[in-house]
Amino acid sequence: MNDRIYAAFEQQQKDRGINLFEVKEKMKALKIETPSWGYGDSGTRFKVFQQEGVPRNPFEKMEDAAVVHKLTGVCPTVAIHIPWDQVDDYSKLKAHAEELGIAIGAVNPNLFQDDDYKFGSITNASSAIRKKATAHLLECIDIARQTGSKELSLWLADGTNYPGQADIRKRKHWMYECLADMYTALDDDMRLLIEYKFFEPAFYHTDLADWGMAYNLAQKLGPQAEVLVDTGHHAQGVNIEHIVAYLLDERRLGGFHFNSRKYADDDLIVGAHNPYELFLIFYQILDALQDSDQHVRKTAENIAYMLDQCHNLEPKIPAMIRSVMNVQTYYAKALLINYDEVKKAQEKGDVLACEAAVREAFEIDVRPLLYAVREEMNVPAEPLEAYQESGYGEKILARGKGGASW
Amino acid sequence: MNDRIYAAFEQQQKDRGINLFEVKEKMKALKIETPSWGYGDSGTRFKVFQQEGVPRNPFEKMEDAAVVHKLTGVCPTVAIHIPWDQVDDYSKLKAHAEELGIAIGAVNPNLFQDDDYKFGSITNASSAIRKKATAHLLECIDIARQTGSKELSLWLADGTNYPGQADIRKRKHWMYECLADMYTALDDDMRLLIEYKFFEPAFYHTDLADWGMAYNLAQKLGPQAEVLVDTGHHAQGVNIEHIVAYLLDERRLGGFHFNSRKYADDDLIVGAHNPYELFLIFYQILDALQDSDQHVRKTAENIAYMLDQCHNLEPKIPAMIRSVMNVQTYYAKALLINYDEVKKAQEKGDVLACEAAVREAFEIDVRPLLYAVREEMNVPAEPLEAYQESGYGEKILARGKGGASW
Amino acid sequence: MNDRIYAAFEQQQKDRGINLFEVKEKMKALKIETPSWGYGDSGTRFKVFQQEGVPRNPFEKMEDAAVVHKLTGVCPTVAIHIPWDQVDDYSKLKAHAEELGIAIGAVNPNLFQDDDYKFGSITNASSAIRKKATAHLLECIDIARQTGSKELSLWLADGTNYPGQADIRKRKHWMYECLADMYTALDDDMRLLIEYKFFEPAFYHTDLADWGMAYNLAQKLGPQAEVLVDTGHHAQGVNIEHIVAYLLDERRLGGFHFNSRKYADDDLIVGAHNPYELFLIFYQILDALQDSDQHVRKTAENIAYMLDQCHNLEPKIPAMIRSVMNVQTYYAKALLINYDEVKKAQEKGDVLACEAAVREAFEIDVRPLLYAVREEMNVPAEPLEAYQESGYGEKILARGKGGASW
Amino acid sequence: MNDRIYAAFEQQQKDRGINLFEVKEKMKALKIETPSWGYGDSGTRFKVFQQEGVPRNPFEKMEDAAVVHKLTGVCPTVAIHIPWDQVDDYSKLKAHAEELGIAIGAVNPNLFQDDDYKFGSITNASSAIRKKATAHLLECIDIARQTGSKELSLWLADGTNYPGQADIRKRKHWMYECLADMYTALDDDMRLLIEYKFFEPAFYHTDLADWGMAYNLAQKLGPQAEVLVDTGHHAQGVNIEHIVAYLLDERRLGGFHFNSRKYADDDLIVGAHNPYELFLIFYQILDALQDSDQHVRKTAENIAYMLDQCHNLEPKIPAMIRSVMNVQTYYAKALLINYDEVKKAQEKGDVLACEAAVREAFEIDVRPLLYAVREEMNVPAEPLEAYQESGYGEKILARGKGGASW
């Protein structure tokens, strides 16, 4: 990009009444957590195509994540998944991350890959299995303490495949009881992010199937429990930004698992399908940041933005960088909405003007802004190109095939 | 049906450990409210095919509804819709219904057909329009007092068609404020049933879009507010019986608007599409009726079963009778589930046995049971045939075309 | 826009290897037909909110359409719908249009609003009704001759609401027979565009439910029959651009009915929901325009781009202008794809580079291009603002409420 | 079941005008092919819960399949999947099956698990990979010759995850070319069954995405190519029985992969979710068997009924038996439709009577019929109970865990 283009962009935003300085500050403040498992091999039930150079252990995952952070400047933390990232000494993993300039973020328990969980984990009819599952949750809190993590991200795969397979109401109670035990064990500065999912791997009923169930559970558990929205976990057509606005208003939106999908939970690169939806989610969030209620504002400020994707076909690190850039792109566009203009049009009941005021920002090419922000942050203007030139991709080929996977 | 068939049925159920006497008592206790608007003309946005003989006013609707009750014995009440059923003197309408052997059931406000409601009723940015809408809600409570109704059924069509069209969070607050005013005005023995809908007529966001929003609202309003589940108001694939079980467990399931659909909110005859879903809904309800918690049991006992359908192509009264019979059929099947067997299979984690125990009841031909129940209730064994023979259908042709419609 | 911004844009495209002159020529060649019915009142089954100033007859609809053409320069034709646009003398309507600088485009028969069509038109079990429907189709060809139209757009609402309601296979044969009669009557330079629809107003089965059925029918009828894709007529998740590519390759894509939707057939402003989909449709079309097979290229060149929308809440003329601008916007973006770059990335199997090459064009702000094109076409740079300033909207208020509607 | 119940059933059907003798003959003629892979371990991308006793090789799969046939009498063939069922000497596998009283059915090529197929098999941009894939198809024809199989079942997983990833139209041509090579190699008495799928494992576009694409391909290939309908491979809401009727009328329906689903391609036990759909599919088939066109009748007669399921949680052999029984149940119900009654109601345009005539048969408890048929076939009346009593399930536990899987 040359200066001429940026100057034109700057003028354009000035004319629109946008404070570019503020926009840039907000861009710099945006942090996106990458998931350790996104660096490993993944696939569908039909096939996992292994890639060369995939990290072989949690330490190497941290190294890859550090590269993403180095090149983007906005990914200072990495979510871990236990036991995929189980290590003997978490202080070592923490130190390793810190040496690399990053930190460990949310801790994700795994309640779906133990043979005992075939018929449920914290919803299992067996109290022994529920206890085992709860113990794992408590272990994750302990790991969080060791890694300095403040978020516990809970995705519950529990559910059934056939009508009658289990007692839905009893499972609901068991789930609450186990999570109440977990909640009690949280440190005061920790929060529990509760994720819901429409279906898969359960094909008849999923115990935590929608935002309403996650929200209600959070309400019962207490103020440290919040809802985590995975953008791929909804029925077709569901208005996700409406749910986001709703949860913000109720002060229960804790975070996101970003990804995109066209069909089910496809876990594709965020923004790759229907990017307008991502923009509209940020529109609701940025609107809430201007709410008259400070609690709503605070909720919006504390949202944990996390990626949760599977790069089945594409190389992992570049895919992660692309994802981060996509989030930045649509966040930037939402920042360029002239909120006063929207509100004025809303007050007049001018539907077309309302819609135009929101969409106009979507049409703006924000690359000049992103370049400027990156320059100010001392990171490459084109992180993907910088990665290609870095030689890191070639270097890790020495790891060979058969690295970490689910 | 001859005695031989019934004897075979009776023996079969005895062998299965089913107490037929209890089943029959429960069948007799099942009441299904029919909607006054279901007797009038309806259609799609493309065309309303008017039928001859459609009632021309609320009084004639009561007459048709009374025929349905006379022939089925299980439809003693009729839901009314204001202003579609507006009359000068509601005591006259009430008396008319009572003379016909029926009563007026739920009162349904209309917040979607006034020009003022183009951009919302109780969510409208104009406080004057919100007041007008609230006044209508209060008027409906007053009408309920006059008609002796104990249920207010609220379906809110409010929403937007385009992103940015309105402030989603503000509308949420306005909605709550208006409904709080309404709630306060309820008599102690009245309840407010809050209906949600996925989409239509709003095509971007619907202010009350799912059970979670209706439930949360009911929680805030108080114990007289409950959720109303319309079986056609969900995204494709949503597990409705799960929602039913969930709301029962939370003691917030107030009632149903029954109908069936293959696509959107098709408002077809209940049980005509995917009848297994209707059966599974009743399975959850009947299971909750055996809950150890008396509040859950009481919630299940107080469910208001209502039809909400549009008979676009088929004649109205026979369609209503068929709908009632369908509800009875799948309720009867759910009553024939051997719940102990299901629970035993669940305890053993025997997925196939669980599923089989539930589905076995679905496979039973319950017509012998329905015939027996009807005989004991002194209504025709075949209500539809009895209607055809009654001559009522011919009689009402004198009403001509162009009767009541939306 | 100032020259500086355009200069920056021009440089940017030059650097990307885009031939802006060619792009502008293609922009000028793009024609979008507006629908006469889009200027009238419309709504949902629940309510039609009438607007002031709606045209009261086909002549006034032409006047409104002419304004849209005057301000955009790309809408020289208007689709008509019979009998909504029935007039005594079509030569007068044609002359009126021509005086206004436009022409009559596709003729759309109506096979869904006559009482006889309750159980089907050309699929009706009654041969008399099928003949009547066929006669209407022939009448529409005759009208096309009078109006100089070359396209007959057929949307068939026929279908059933319940399993068993009709003989699906027989209806298929009847449909073919009637359409074969219609096809035979076409002039050599006319074409029949066959539209399919997933559901509505039929709620169980729709006789022409998907592209496969429309395509197969077109194959049987002959080369003058092609498929018309309405962007709102698919199940959720269906990949419409794949169908577009497929039909292009089979040389059977005849045209589009553009609109957008989030749920069912919402008929919202095209590009208002998931605009990326519209862009991807154009990507497939523009890619086919470079096909090595001249027949594929010719098919792509002859696509009839038509709007088919309902402006339930927003004012009609501005909504139409906005729609036209949206089509231009996403068409322009697709023109800015560097197709060579995409192909090179495809050859390398570089998934991320492929995706980036396509999406990069989507991110470009094409307003400088649109302004330049409009300037060269001697139409206002901002057609919507020009409309607001024209005073036309105020002038037509004299028409009052209660104009044309379905 | 006692004689009394059967006598009552017999009388009931006689009264309905049903020829029970014919019905029973048709029940005996129904054959259902089970899939070798359905006896092995399977799961989701998240976890495969291994079961004890799963067959360790193709020979043991045949043994399990033989048990299913022995107990049901209607599963004389087993579909195989190459290379999952690759053996050194197919004549030995064939002989083994024959000794067990069964035969090898459809041969299923695998074009999705080789690393080379990451970006497509017969649609791959590399001609070398396309040749390799074609060679595998030819190999499968050869295997079919060795096993005496007459059906080649082709499911193509090919597709892309991102817009732009590949040239959709070129892939369409490559696919055709490879399949044309395959088609040419077919023996005269073989047929190629082409399966389509909405999505998964491809998440943006699937090269064979719907029935229209499979049908068009079959048309081009020739009369030995037909469409295979997998009941789980459609978008939500799609009317599968309509597609079935359509393909029958076009004489291109070759077979089914039966399973059920609530969400995506869940591969659950057929009939376990929305069993009415399965019944309606058989209604269309049985209706076509009475068509006046002998070619349509012949197509219906030659349908290959095959199961394609994954038993992730439930034991494999009982799940297969249950599936077979479900198919029999809904086939039996469809046989009990009084087709004359349906047609008469259709002729009268009596929607309610039409629907009732179809659904009445669905409500009939067909277990008396199934018991009678099984008795006449000399198989156990309750195959599942017979399996439990057989001790086979215990015997195979000696195989241990870790048997065959995908």
Side-chain angles (χ1 to χ4, degrees), chain D residues 32-253:
Chain D
I32 303 154
E33 184 162 304
T34 69
S36 72
W37 57 94
Y39 298 99
D41 278 324
S42 63
T44 69
R45 59 174 169 148
F46 296 109
K47 169 77 176 171
V48 174
F49 291 102
Q50 294 185 328
Q51 295 185 13
E52 280 186 279
V54 158
R56 293 162 293 187
N57 54 55
F59 292 88
E60 289 185 352
K61 290 183 198 170
M62 291 298 148
E63 289 160 23
D64 290 3
V67 168
V68 173
H69 180 49
K70 192 179 154 199
L71 294 171
T72 62
V74 295
C75 303
T77 58
V78 186
I80 59 173
H81 192 112
I82 308 300
W84 298 341
D85 294 317
Q86 202 159 33
V87 291
D88 291 336
D89 184 345
Y90 287 96
S91 66
K92 278 194 191 160
L93 189 63
K94 181 173 186 268
H96 186 64
E98 284 168 3
E99 278 161 31
L100 294 160
I102 56 175
I104 291 174
V107 178
N108 291 254
N110 180 318
L111 295 174
F112 53 93
Q113 285 188 318
D114 190 293
D115 280 344
D116 276 345
Y117 300 153
K118 186 171 171 180
F119 296 126
S121 59
I122 56 174
T123 63
N124 200 298
S126 152
S127 66
I129 293 176
R130 294 200 301 276
K131 271 181 201 157
K132 173 178 168 170
T134 308
H136 176 60
L137 296 177
L138 299 178
E139 177 202 3
C140 284
I141 293 178
D142 203 50
I143 291 170
R145 277 186 202 111
Q146 296 174 54
T147 56
S149 302
K150 298 303 171 198
E151 272 106 22
L152 279 291
S153 282
L154 179 79
W155 170 54
L156 190 66
D158 286 9
T160 60
N161 277 3
Y162 293 101
Q165 183 185 324
D167 186 317
I168 290 176
R169 296 195 318 288
K170 270 193 197 154
R171 288 169 71 98
K172 177 172 174 284
H173 286 266
W174 290 326
M175 173 167 60
Y176 171 72
E177 287 162 16
C178 295
L179 292 183
D181 286 347
M182 183 194 189
Y183 186 86
T184 307
L186 289 174
D187 292 345
D188 287 351
D189 60 351
M190 286 178 172
R191 55 179 172 164
L192 172 60
L193 304 180
I194 303 171
E195 189 170 348
Y196 56 92
K197 186 170 182 180
F198 185 44
F199 80 100
E200 195 214 21
F203 294 136
Y204 170 61
H205 112 280
T206 296
D207 290 282
L208 269 175
D210 60 27
W211 77 266
M213 297 180 191
Y215 166 76
N216 192 38
L217 192 54
Q219 289 282 85
K220 290 183 181 180
L221 289 175
Q224 288 170 257
E226 295 183 314
V227 179
L228 190 156
V229 175
D230 182 299
T231 44
H233 288 192
H234 304 82
Q236 287 273 3
V238 165
N239 187 324
I240 300 174
E241 57 267 28
H242 183 192
I243 293 172
V244 166
Y246 197 98
L247 287 171
L248 280 167
D249 197 65
E250 294 290 342
R251 309 169 195 174
R252 285 285 177 185
L253 180 65

Side-chain angles (χ1 to χ4, degrees), chain B residues 2 4-5 7-9 11-12 15-16 236-241 262-263 269-277 280 313-315 318-319 322 326 329-330 333 350-352 355-356 359-360 362-367 384 388, chain D residues 2 4-5 7-9 11-12 15-16 236-241 262-263 269-277 280 313-315 318-319 322 326 329-330 333 350-352 355-356 359-360 362-367 384 388:
Chain B
N2 54 38
R4 206 160 116 194
I5 290 176
F9 175 82
Q11 184 62 46
Q12 187 189 32
D15 293 348
R16 296 181 64 241
Q236 287 274 1
V238 165
N239 187 323
I240 301 174
E241 57 267 28
K262 185 164 174 58
Y263 303 98
I269 290 175
V270 58
H273 293 278
N274 194 2
Y276 195 46
E277 184 178 70
L280 291 174
L313 301 179
E314 60 274 22
R322 159 64 59 205
N326 284 359
T329 294
Y330 298 103
K333 287 176 184 240
D350 186 339
V351 177
L352 288 173
E355 200 265 345
R359 197 143 53 87
E360 185 192 20
F362 183 70
E363 295 301 337
I364 296 171
D365 189 340
V366 293
R367 283 174 301 175
L384 260 179
Q388 304 300 2
Chain D
N2 53 38
R4 207 160 115 192
I5 290 176
F9 175 80
Q11 184 61 48
Q12 187 189 32
D15 293 348
R16 295 181 66 241
Q236 287 273 3
V238 165
N239 187 324
I240 300 174
E241 57 267 28
K262 185 165 174 59
Y263 303 97
I269 290 175
V270 59
H273 293 277
N274 194 2
Y276 196 46
E277 185 178 69
L280 291 174
L313 302 179
E314 60 274 22
R322 159 64 60 205
N326 284 359
T329 295
Y330 297 104
K333 287 176 184 240
D350 185 340
V351 178
L352 287 173
E355 200 264 345
R359 197 141 53 87
E360 186 193 17
F362 183 70
E363 295 301 337
I364 296 172
D365 189 340
V366 293
R367 283 174 300 175
L384 260 178
Q388 306 299 1

Side-chain angles (χ1 to χ4, degrees), chain A residues 90-288:
Chain A
Y90 288 96
S91 65
K92 280 194 189 159
L93 188 64
K94 181 173 185 268
H96 185 65
E98 285 169 3
E99 278 161 31
L100 294 160
I102 55 175
I104 291 173
V107 178
N108 290 254
N110 181 317
L111 295 175
F112 52 92
Q113 285 187 318
D114 191 293
D115 281 343
D116 275 347
Y117 300 154
K118 185 170 172 181
F119 296 125
S121 60
I122 57 174
T123 63
N124 200 298
S126 150
S127 66
I129 294 175
R130 294 200 303 276
K131 271 181 200 158
K132 171 178 171 172
T134 308
H136 175 60
L137 297 176
L138 299 178
E139 176 201 4
C140 285
I141 294 178
D142 202 49
I143 291 170
R145 276 186 202 111
Q146 296 174 55
T147 56
S149 304
K150 298 303 171 198
E151 271 106 22
L152 279 291
S153 283
L154 179 79
W155 170 54
L156 190 65
D158 287 8
T160 59
N161 278 2
Y162 293 100
Q165 182 184 326
D167 186 318
I168 290 177
R169 297 193 321 286
K170 269 193 197 155
R171 288 169 71 98
K172 176 172 175 283
H173 287 266
W174 290 327
M175 172 167 60
Y176 171 72
E177 287 163 16
C178 295
L179 292 182
D181 285 349
M182 183 193 190
Y183 186 86
T184 307
L186 290 173
D187 291 347
D188 285 352
D189 60 351
M190 287 178 172
R191 54 178 170 165
L192 172 61
L193 304 180
I194 304 171
E195 189 171 348
Y196 57 90
K197 186 169 184 181
F198 185 43
F199 80 100
E200 196 215 18
F203 294 136
Y204 170 60
H205 112 282
T206 296
D207 290 284
L208 268 175
D210 60 27
W211 78 266
M213 296 179 190
Y215 166 75
N216 192 39
L217 192 53
Q219 289 283 83
K220 289 184 181 179
L221 290 173
Q224 288 170 256
E226 295 182 314
V227 179
L228 190 156
V229 176
D230 182 299
T231 44
H233 288 192
H234 305 82
Q236 288 274 3
V238 165
N239 188 323
I240 300 174
E241 57 268 28
H242 182 192
I243 294 172
V244 167
Y246 197 97
L247 287 171
L248 280 166
D249 197 67
E250 295 289 343
R251 309 168 194 176
R252 285 285 177 185
L253 181 64
F256 283 93
H257 270 184
F258 280 137
N259 50 59
S260 78
R261 63 88 180 249
K262 186 166 174 56
Y263 302 99
D265 183 37
D266 307 341
D267 279 332
L268 300 169
I269 290 175
V270 59
H273 293 277
N274 194 3
Y276 196 45
E277 184 178 70
L278 181 60
F279 166 81
L280 292 174
I281 287 170
F282 283 130
Y283 159 45
Q284 291 300 333
I285 292 169
L286 293 171
D287 193 63

